[in-house]
Amino acid sequence: MENVKFYTLDEVKDKHIGKIGTPQREKYEAELQSFIVGEAIKQARKAQKMTQQQLAEKIGVQRAQVSKIENGRNLTLSTVARCFKAMGLEASLSVSGLGNFLL
């Protein structure tokens, strides 16, 4: 049997996206985090059986804006906080060295 080389996820990212600290890697990491937050908002909305239109009305934006938020675009801390608050959920932000803060 031939030897097969296995790579860690970090090795693959370093090779194909760029090493940590490079502009390409920073952009990738930021987009990934935005996607994860948007997906959390979408899952919370669906768990409450709420439509994008209903969430949009609760936070005072158009339905298209909720779609963008759920796709990780146009995210701000204020927008994230408004979305979770409108669904009756509490969100917190953890800052290394400073602790947790409620949004």
Side-chain angles (χ1 to χ4, degrees), residues 15-91:
K15 181 177 180 181
H16 294 285
I17 299 167
K19 295 201 179 285
I20 293 174
T22 62
Q24 298 89 348
R25 182 67 172 265
E26 295 296 323
K27 181 180 180 215
Y28 166 81
E29 296 291 344
E31 288 174 354
L32 179 59
Q33 289 301 314
S34 291
F35 171 80
I36 290 169
V37 171
E39 189 64 24
I41 291 169
K42 180 194 288 185
Q43 293 304 317
R45 176 183 60 76
K46 286 183 172 186
Q48 295 195 1
K49 299 182 181 355
M50 185 182 292
T51 66
Q52 286 183 338
Q53 182 63 41
Q54 289 169 323
L55 180 57
E57 289 169 3
K58 285 188 169 213
I59 64 172
V61 299
Q62 298 292 318
R63 189 213 53 81
Q65 180 66 20
V66 171
S67 177
K68 289 178 184 178
I69 291 166
E70 291 182 351
N71 284 301
R73 298 190 315 266
N74 298 357
L75 286 180
T76 65
L77 285 176
S78 173
T79 301
V80 171
R82 285 176 32 220
C83 287
F84 285 119
K85 185 175 181 179
M87 292 184 280
L89 301 171
E90 194 173 272

